[in-house]
Amino acid sequence: MMSRPVINEKVLQYLRQQPVPLSPKLRGIEEFANEKRIPIIPHETVSYLYQLVNQLRPTKILEVGTAIGFSAALFVEASQQQTRVTTIDRFEEMYQRAQTNWQSLGYQSQIQLLTGDAADILPMLTGQYELIFLDAAKAQYINFLPEALRLLAPEGVLLIDDVLQGGTIFEPIESIRHRDKGIHRHLNQLLDTVYADDELLTTLLPLGDGLLKITRREIQK
């Protein structure tokens, strides 16, 4: 989250000033969202994702958590409009705004919106995605993980956003507010699960509120 960075404030401000070659329209959407405190990925994560997608050039990307469509549009731009994005969201107010944004950018033909609960939609998807980005209900990440790994291409990258809760997931659960205890347990379970899996390589990046990067480990036989 924009308001819960996990790094030094001066470093954060430096990162958030770095240029990213977004189109003027997409940059305007980012600025509007930040001004109105509409939840989108913070600028340091924008920079990282732009570089990653530009380097990998995935042809198929899956996103869980559309919001206003900013990150889906970012993926299209970073791939030089060579990728197709499938994105899932259940909040009508958000995804309607996303569709308006994609139309203004001219990207609507490259982004497929699936409306509904990701827990119901993910098991119905087939094929493989070179990049999967989970940015939705934090308590559900552990439940989405098996389906995300099933859909991930052998050399694909799975990214899971906002996994640190401002660093509080490392605090004893007794110190966590009652309403946040479920998220606290599930995020810790997620971290324990992916780090314990010998078939996965996992890196926790201090971008925004923590970005988990997961790939499959190449095991020599």
Side-chain angles (χ1 to χ4, degrees):
M1 294 287 289
M2 287 282 293
S3 59
R4 305 188 78 174
V6 293
I7 62 173
N8 177 277
E9 181 68 23
K10 291 182 179 179
V11 176
L12 177 66
Q13 292 306 316
Y14 180 79
L15 292 175
R16 290 188 174 172
Q17 294 169 7
Q18 300 313 299
V20 181
L22 305 179
S23 67
K25 285 186 177 180
L26 188 55
R27 187 177 299 111
I29 293 171
E30 181 187 26
E31 292 172 353
F32 175 81
N34 291 337
E35 178 184 341
K36 300 298 184 181
R37 297 189 66 81
I38 298 171
I40 63 169
I41 54 176
H43 192 73
E44 63 270 27
T45 306
V46 172
S47 178
Y48 175 75
L49 292 182
Y50 191 101
Q51 183 182 43
L52 181 68
V53 172
N54 188 261
Q55 177 186 26
L56 296 179
R57 295 293 174 92
T59 58
K60 291 180 62 180
I61 296 175
L62 174 64
E63 175 185 62
V64 178
T66 308
I68 63 168
F70 174 78
S71 51
L74 171 70
F75 295 146
V76 173
E77 286 201 1
S79 71
Q80 306 301 305
Q81 302 189 37
Q82 297 302 305
T83 193
R84 296 189 65 84
V85 180
T86 298
T87 183
I88 303 170
D89 208 297
R90 63 190 180 93
F91 295 107
E92 185 174 1
E93 180 181 357
M94 285 293 194
Y95 65 66
Q96 284 187 348
R97 186 176 294 184
Q99 290 175 311
T100 299
N101 286 334
W102 298 332
Q103 187 171 12
S104 72
L105 291 161
Y107 297 160
Q108 64 270 34
S109 65
Q110 292 160 275
I111 302 174
Q112 178 188 25
L113 173 66
L114 302 178
T115 61
D117 195 318
D120 298 324
I121 294 173
L122 287 172
M124 297 189 298
L125 298 180
T126 58
Q128 295 185 323
Y129 298 86
E130 296 106 317
L131 179 65
I132 299 178
F133 183 49
L134 303 186
D135 187 18
K138 315 311 174 221
Q140 295 302 313
Y141 285 161
I142 187 63
N143 299 320
F144 295 158
L145 181 65
E147 292 297 333
L149 292 174
R150 176 182 66 84
L151 294 166
L152 188 66
E155 297 183 356
V157 176
L158 169 60
L159 299 172
I160 307 179
D161 201 22
D162 296 334
V163 298
L164 293 181
Q165 290 290 287
T168 60
I169 65 162
F170 302 121
E171 300 295 331
I173 194 167
E174 294 79 15
S175 67
I176 304 301
R177 292 181 302 180
H178 178 73
R179 68 180 184 180
D180 296 329
K181 287 184 185 294
I183 296 175
H184 185 277
R185 284 195 298 268
H186 288 124
L187 286 176
N188 273 283
Q189 185 182 358
L190 172 71
L191 292 175
D192 290 345
T193 299
V194 296
Y195 276 110
D197 193 329
D198 291 337
E199 295 184 0
L200 302 178
L201 288 175
T202 301
T203 302
L204 180 55
L205 304 172
L207 298 171
D209 193 23
L211 181 67
L212 204 59
K213 181 180 180 181
I214 301 168
T215 58
R216 287 194 172 87
R217 180 183 176 191
E218 184 177 345
I219 301 176
Q220 299 294 330
K221 297 183 179 179

